[in-house]
Amino acid sequence: MNALKAAQEYAKRGWATFPVHGVVNGECTCGKVDCPNKGKHPATPNGLHAATKDPAALDMLFYKPGFNIGLACGPASGVFVLDIDGEEGEAALNGHPIPPTLTHLTGRSRHLLFAYPENKKISNSTSQIGPKLEIRGDGGYIVVAPSIHANGTKYRFENISVPPAEPPEWLVKKATKKKR
């Protein structure tokens, strides 16, 4: 499935998406030889603010072959993400219970997608939950399937038919805790 078709399918799920530069022959489609964020940065001038569920707008946004797909997190798509980076991230979960939920596999980590809670604000964070555990919420995004990671791995959903679960209370509590 190409990026446009996938973005249109995601729109049917109520997810807002936008094009992200892709990786073709090991190089970022942005054209920068030493791109520090290969295949992960927005391909639109206004970044994730271009995210939409509108099929006609998606047709115009995904005009170039090789784009990856960015999924806007937060209220725009009704989801937030716990990004678990490798073995260190898995260990940092410290046995906290995780309900079965939609799981997305990346080039180096896994994303657990949860339903965005009503009357709460889930912001982005990099270490508030624990080491190698990141939150992508309001104002954040993740790159999703069928995108290609800079290491050549194809992003994929492990269980696309499983809907995003209600988040566990411990996760919401930590994700909404005020930062010092």
Side-chain angles (χ1 to χ4, degrees):
M1 182 180 303
N2 69 28
L4 174 58
K5 286 190 185 302
Q8 290 170 336
E9 287 300 314
Y10 296 149
K12 291 175 187 173
R13 293 179 82 111
W15 295 349
T17 61
F18 63 100
V20 172
H21 282 289
V23 178
V24 177
N25 299 323
E27 297 299 322
C28 187
T29 59
C30 73
K32 293 179 185 166
V33 176
D34 295 328
C35 179
N37 210 4
K38 284 183 184 179
K40 290 189 173 184
H41 58 100
T44 61
N46 52 351
L48 75 93
H49 301 291
T52 183
K53 302 171 201 171
D54 177 50
L58 291 169
D59 283 342
M60 295 190 63
L61 287 172
F62 284 90
Y63 66 90
K64 184 177 176 182
F67 278 150
N68 279 345
I69 304 171
L71 168 67
C73 298
S77 296
V79 297
F80 78 97
V81 175
L82 174 60
D83 183 350
I84 304 168
D85 285 332
E87 291 179 21
E88 191 177 342
E90 296 289 345
L93 285 174
N94 291 323
H96 284 297
I98 302 285
T101 193
L102 182 57
T103 303
H104 184 255
L105 304 175
T106 75
R108 294 188 309 235
S109 64
R110 69 182 175 130
H111 297 145
L112 302 180
L113 283 76
F114 293 101
Y116 196 87
E118 290 185 33
N119 304 317
K120 302 266 185 204
K121 180 173 172 67
I122 305 285
S123 298
N124 299 311
S125 70
T126 55
S127 61
Q128 188 166 323
I129 306 299
K132 300 291 184 177
L133 296 175
E134 298 179 4
I135 294 290
R136 292 291 164 252
D138 195 11
Y141 70 94
I142 60 171
V143 177
V144 293
S147 299
I148 305 293
H149 191 274
N151 68 13
T153 304
K154 195 172 197 174
Y155 290 76
R156 65 186 174 85
F157 281 98
E158 185 176 75
N159 51 358
I160 192 69
S161 62
V162 173
E166 292 299 318
E169 191 174 316
W170 70 267
L171 182 58
V172 173
K173 193 174 199 176
K174 283 190 172 198
T176 56
K177 184 177 179 183
K178 298 285 183 212
K179 297 174 190 168
R180 291 182 186 201

